[in-house]
Amino acid sequence: MKYSESLKKNRDFQQVYKRGTSKANRYLVMYVLPNQHMMNRLGISVSKKVGNSVVRHRLTRLIRESYRLNEEKFDRNLDIVVIARNSAKDRSYQEIESAFMNLAQKHAIVGGTDEETSY
């Protein structure tokens, strides 16, 4: 994540929950709030209800990787919090990435910048 850092503090998460907008699909919930930092900040939350620590960390890694690989497409100056739902537990990387990008498009925070520009 070269253009981003992680949301770590509880008060930052709470601020995004209270002031941000939320969209959801079958596997994920995404909250988005514009920030004053010159970069995006990504926070990921996976409840103990979803599974044991192995399952929770796997989902966290899948969500973080989905963001990392598509990072150039995202608008800047955003706080993004992603919450994994219980139904995401047994899903593949492709399903999680598809759900993640679907929510980003619903929030209209994905610009269509392609790296395939010809010179």
Side-chain angles (χ1 to χ4, degrees):
M1 297 193 312
K2 53 186 165 184
Y3 305 115
S4 307
E5 61 183 35
S6 293
L7 272 179
K8 291 187 176 17
K9 299 202 181 300
N10 185 37
R11 65 183 165 161
D12 292 336
F13 276 85
Q14 294 304 321
Q15 186 175 26
V16 175
Y17 293 145
K18 287 178 187 169
R19 298 185 185 156
T21 59
S22 69
K23 304 269 190 237
N25 58 27
R26 185 180 299 158
Y27 305 128
L28 304 172
V29 179
M30 182 183 285
Y31 287 83
V32 176
L33 179 69
N35 67 29
Q36 300 303 317
H37 305 280
M38 297 308 288
M39 63 179 70
N40 288 347
R41 298 191 303 170
L42 178 68
I44 300 170
S45 176
V46 185
S47 169
K48 285 186 179 181
K49 294 177 185 176
V50 173
N52 63 17
S53 65
V54 174
V55 172
R56 294 194 313 266
H57 283 90
R58 177 182 174 273
L59 274 173
T60 301
R61 289 192 309 271
L62 292 178
I63 294 167
R64 186 171 289 118
E65 185 69 359
S66 298
Y67 176 76
R68 186 186 71 84
L69 292 177
N70 295 292
E71 187 173 22
E72 299 84 28
K73 300 176 186 172
F74 279 80
D75 296 343
R76 300 281 180 263
N77 303 335
L78 298 171
D79 285 344
I80 303 168
V81 174
V82 180
I83 302 170
R85 289 185 161 178
N86 199 14
S87 57
K89 171 173 34 182
D90 299 321
R91 300 294 161 227
S92 68
Y93 169 75
Q94 287 79 16
E95 291 172 301
I96 297 297
E97 182 183 34
S98 174
F100 181 79
M101 294 308 291
N102 171 267
L103 287 176
Q105 289 171 350
K106 281 185 180 179
H107 275 289
I109 58 173
V110 177
T113 58
D114 290 350
E115 293 180 353
E116 301 172 8
T117 54
S118 58
Y119 293 98

